[in-house]
Amino acid sequence: NNKIKMATTLPDGVFPTMITPFTESGEIDYPTLDALIEWYIQSGCAGLFACCLSSEIYHLTEDEIITLARHVKKKAAGRVSVVASGTLGGPIEKQAEFVKKMAAEVDAVVVLIAQMCKEEEDNDTWKQNTQKLLDLTGDIPLGLYEIPKPYHRLLDADTLKWCASTNRFLFHKDTCCKPVPIKEKIAAAMSIPETPFKFYNANAATILFSVQMGGSGFSGINANFYPQLVAWLVKNPEHPKAFALQQYLAIAENVVMYKYPCSAKAFLGMFEGLNITTKCRNGDVKLNEEEMLKLEALHATCAEWCKTLGVRRLNPATNAETSHVPNSLANSIK
């Protein structure tokens, strides 16, 4: 119970949607996970979103999900907040029981919005089911995630305002990816006095916009590639170079999202000494030579941006600053 009551608010900043490294045999690779956790933290992240879609949550067992969340929280050791998904589908009563299990492990348990009702059901049904979950889970701190699977359900501003008014939701990962709804949702949530509700955008093209509109931070996939750059942008929205960095991140996302999360694992594997495989449980995905060259280009441009901003670029294998940039074409020319 003490753990449940500890989190009354979450920090502003970046919450990476954590990938799950696997061994070649498909088991969770905890030593590599530890290296990544340390890398996220040392790169300036405010929190960690474990057991999300990036983590391949629908391809993990319930026991693996609980163990994974517990491991992340233990490794973080209070240095950053940890949230994790806790509604995996089925009857609300069953989901509430899993929320209670997860609450013992993390700072806030994230409700997967698409699991609160069927795709064809309306917002009133969604609210009724969500209220039932609230009633069954006491004062457990919760979050929201507009997860794209099994179907993509977006909450409108009025529904998000209702969520904020319950004072139970500390975290909202928004995936609408459109400026007008983002602005409307943030304004609606902020209209509730003293709500602990915080808005974390997941869309790379509108990071700066959402922060300028009053959003609390970012929780998206590119924080598995260059968390230090996204953390800098969220903290420095009025900096003269902020808009140019935002433009870079918007364009770079086309490389980031292609064959993700395999792309993230391949990108991280280009750091010297990090023993991470590209193994994924969500399908047998491979990157070809051209796709690997694009990831190398992402490394090079990220390194240049770090120099420009005076931001440290860390090697997750050692968490020491690195100037190494992969360049397989240089070897080919020789």
Side-chain angles (χ1 to χ4, degrees), residues 7-12 15 81-83 107-108 142 170-171 196 198 200:
T8 56
T9 187
L10 294 176
D12 293 354
F15 279 68
S81 299
V82 178
V83 303
D107 295 303
L142 301 174
L170 312 187
F171 176 95
K198 290 196 174 184
Y200 301 86

Side-chain angles (χ1 to χ4, degrees), residues 201-228:
N201 188 9
N203 177 240
T206 53
I207 300 170
L208 180 59
F209 173 80
S210 64
V211 173
Q212 291 172 334
M213 290 300 102
S216 300
F218 178 74
S219 184
I221 66 175
N222 69 16
N224 290 295
F225 292 74
Y226 28 70
Q228 70 277 29

Side-chain angles (χ1 to χ4, degrees), residues 5-313:
K5 294 177 181 177
M6 280 175 60
T8 56
T9 187
L10 294 176
D12 293 354
V14 173
F15 279 68
T17 52
M18 295 178 65
I19 60 169
T20 304
F22 296 109
T23 65
E24 287 293 354
S25 62
E27 301 301 313
I28 296 176
D29 181 354
Y30 282 104
T32 299
L33 178 64
D34 285 346
L36 294 179
I37 292 168
E38 197 63 33
W39 178 67
Y40 294 130
I41 295 172
Q42 296 301 325
S43 296
C45 295
L48 301 170
F49 187 178
C51 307
C52 55
L53 193 59
S54 290
S55 316
E56 303 176 65
I57 189 171
Y58 291 137
H59 301 274
L60 301 173
T61 67
E62 289 191 2
D63 285 345
E64 284 179 321
I65 291 168
I66 291 292
T67 302
L68 184 62
R70 180 185 300 131
H71 188 95
V72 173
K73 177 67 174 173
K74 183 178 179 180
K75 178 65 177 177
R79 292 175 292 169
V80 298
S81 299
V82 178
V83 303
S85 303
T87 58
L88 306 176
I92 299 300
E93 294 82 359
K94 178 185 175 184
Q95 298 197 62
E97 288 305 310
F98 194 75
V99 167
K100 293 175 186 177
K101 289 182 182 179
M102 184 60 82
E105 312 299 342
V106 296
D107 295 303
V109 184
V110 179
V111 174
L112 303 181
I113 289 168
Q115 299 292 3
M116 287 295 97
C117 70
K118 297 177 181 178
E119 185 171 8
E120 63 272 17
E121 293 178 320
D122 60 17
N123 271 359
D124 287 340
T125 303
W126 186 90
K127 285 172 66 175
Q128 290 170 8
N129 290 343
T130 302
Q131 183 61 61
K132 185 175 182 180
L133 184 78
L134 297 181
D135 294 340
L136 291 171
T137 53
D139 60 354
I140 293 173
L142 301 174
L144 294 164
Y145 172 19
E146 292 176 336
I147 191 168
K149 295 180 180 180
Y151 73 96
H152 198 187
R153 188 179 197 95
L154 300 174
L155 299 183
D156 60 28
D158 286 341
T159 305
L160 211 63
K161 182 178 181 179
W162 173 80
C163 292
S165 73
T166 68
N167 289 325
R168 288 287 301 282
F169 294 101
L170 312 187
F171 176 95
H172 170 66
K173 179 184 172 181
D174 194 89
T175 64
C176 74
C177 306
K178 295 179 180 179
V180 172
I182 287 173
K183 182 178 180 180
E184 292 174 347
K185 289 181 178 185
I186 293 172
M190 290 176 64
S191 71
I192 303 299
E194 299 182 9
T195 178
F197 184 97
K198 290 196 174 184
F199 184 102
Y200 301 86
N201 188 9
N203 177 240
T206 53
I207 300 170
L208 180 59
F209 173 80
S210 64
V211 173
Q212 291 172 334
M213 290 300 102
S216 300
F218 178 74
S219 184
I221 66 175
N222 69 16
N224 290 295
F225 292 74
Y226 28 70
Q228 70 277 29
L229 293 183
V230 191
W232 184 94
L233 182 61
V234 169
K235 291 177 182 177
N236 298 279
E238 304 305 323
H239 193 281
K241 295 189 183 298
F243 182 67
L245 176 60
Q246 171 62 87
Q247 289 179 310
Y248 166 73
L249 295 176
I251 296 169
E253 193 74 0
N254 292 300
V255 178
V256 166
M257 66 189 299
Y258 190 69
K259 294 185 179 180
Y260 178 85
C262 180
S263 59
K265 296 175 182 183
F267 179 89
L268 291 166
M270 292 176 179
F271 283 104
E272 292 181 308
L274 186 68
N275 296 317
I276 185 171
T277 74
T278 57
K279 180 76 175 180
C280 296
R281 287 190 186 175
N282 63 2
D284 186 21
V285 179
K286 303 293 182 184
L287 295 171
N288 63 34
E289 187 174 1
E290 180 191 10
E291 291 156 358
M292 293 295 282
L293 289 174
K294 290 178 180 179
L295 291 175
E296 289 186 359
L298 202 60
H299 263 283
T301 52
C302 171
E304 287 302 316
W305 266 106
C306 286
K307 288 180 184 177
T308 298
L309 300 174
V311 174
R312 293 195 309 155
R313 176 171 167 263

